[in-house]
Amino acid sequence: DAGVIQSPRHEVTEMGQEVTLRCKPISGHDYLFWYRQTMMRGLELLIYFNNNVPIDDSGMPEDRFSAKMPNASFSTLKIQPSEPRDSAVYFCASTPPGGGRRNEQFFGPGTRLTVL
Amino acid sequence: KQEVTQIPAALSVPEGENLVLNCSFTDSAIYNLQWFRQDPGKGLTSLLLIQSSQREQTSGRLNASLDKSSGRSTLYIAASQPGDSATYLCAVLVSGSARQLTFGSGTQLTVLP
């Protein structure tokens, strides 16, 4: 299994530009999570999906952030317009269906975003 | 609101030592607790997951314990090696919260050769 795949791995953009981050969860997993990690705030959950449906987006910081999951194998996190304070590492994670041990979350390598 | 604390924030030990990392949480109504490892510039790797009904889990040189009533978990690393150097994070899944994990801020471990 290839694990959770994220692209790009690094993104440098200028303030005001649109940024799109991509994630492919592990095949068969039915939950997908987007996190943001900064030195100041640690790991923060932004939004998560179950069976492609957004369940909780209360962690999305502003309306400039949006996320979609058009199918079970693909999700995007978009920032429009981007600002320097959005600079962070963005992680995608997924979990398999069912309960018990299957609540274990598997993380992608992250996208390091720098907004100049 | 669940809060997860990890102390110390950083720890440096000589190679070969046994060590303990601590994690505490404020709400004991958890479903499980997960320990992760994060290498610099990398994602999180799941190390151990303890269900709320369990007291400990072991994997190789790692042993994680859980005391739900006191809101504490420890990660024991035996015979530490330089390759163990990384940041270790614990995260709890609160009962009834679907799949949302609450993370601690991590302990940065350095094992000196």
Side-chain angles (χ1 to χ4, degrees), chain B residues 56-79:
Chain B
E56 64 179 277
Q57 281 286 319
T58 299
S59 176
R61 295 183 294 108
L62 305 180
N63 176 276
S65 68
L66 174 64
D67 184 342
K68 217 173 62 163
S69 61
S70 67
R72 295 186 179 190
S73 175
T74 61
L75 178 66
Y76 174 82
I77 302 177

Side-chain angles (χ1 to χ4, degrees), chain A residues 37 95 98 100-101 103-104, chain B residues 31 34 38 46 51 98-100:
Chain A
Q37 186 177 39
T95 65
R101 177 150 191 94
N103 284 315
E104 189 171 5
Chain B
Y31 190 75
Q34 200 167 350
Q38 185 175 27
S46 179
Q51 302 290 1
R99 303 294 183 96
Q100 286 180 267

Side-chain angles (χ1 to χ4, degrees), chain A residues 11 46 56 66 116:
Chain A
E11 177 80 32
L46 301 177
D56 187 342
S66 62
L116 303 174

Side-chain angles (χ1 to χ4, degrees), chain B residues 19-23 35-36 47-48 57 62-65 73-77 88:
Chain B
L19 60 99
V20 174
L21 306 180
N22 298 296
C23 172
W35 280 95
F36 293 88
L47 297 173
L48 290 164
Q57 281 286 319
L62 305 180
N63 176 276
S65 68
S73 175
T74 61
L75 178 66
Y76 174 82
I77 302 177
Y88 292 80

Side-chain angles (χ1 to χ4, degrees), chain A residues 41-58:
Chain A
R41 301 174 68 93
L43 263 168
E44 303 174 279
L45 177 64
L46 301 177
I47 184 172
Y48 72 96
F49 297 82
N50 177 224
N51 291 321
N52 315 335
V53 176
I55 303 300
D56 187 342
D57 65 355
S58 60

Side-chain angles (χ1 to χ4, degrees), chain A residues 9 30-31 33 35 37 43 45 48 56 58 91 95-105 107-110 112, chain B residues 31-32 34 36 38 40-51 57 89 93 97-101 103-105:
Chain A
R9 293 294 310 277
D30 63 345
Y31 276 83
F33 305 81
Y35 292 90
Q37 186 177 39
L43 263 168
L45 177 64
Y48 72 96
D56 187 342
S58 60
F91 289 104
T95 65
R101 177 150 191 94
R102 292 181 173 276
N103 284 315
E104 189 171 5
Q105 290 197 14
F107 279 71
R112 182 174 295 276
Chain B
Y31 190 75
N32 65 39
Q34 200 167 350
F36 293 88
Q38 185 175 27
K42 306 285 187 182
L44 280 69
T45 301
S46 179
L47 297 173
L48 290 164
L49 183 148
I50 312 177
Q51 302 290 1
Q57 281 286 319
L89 298 102
L93 182 62
S97 66
R99 303 294 183 96
Q100 286 180 267
L101 287 175
F103 281 85
S105 54

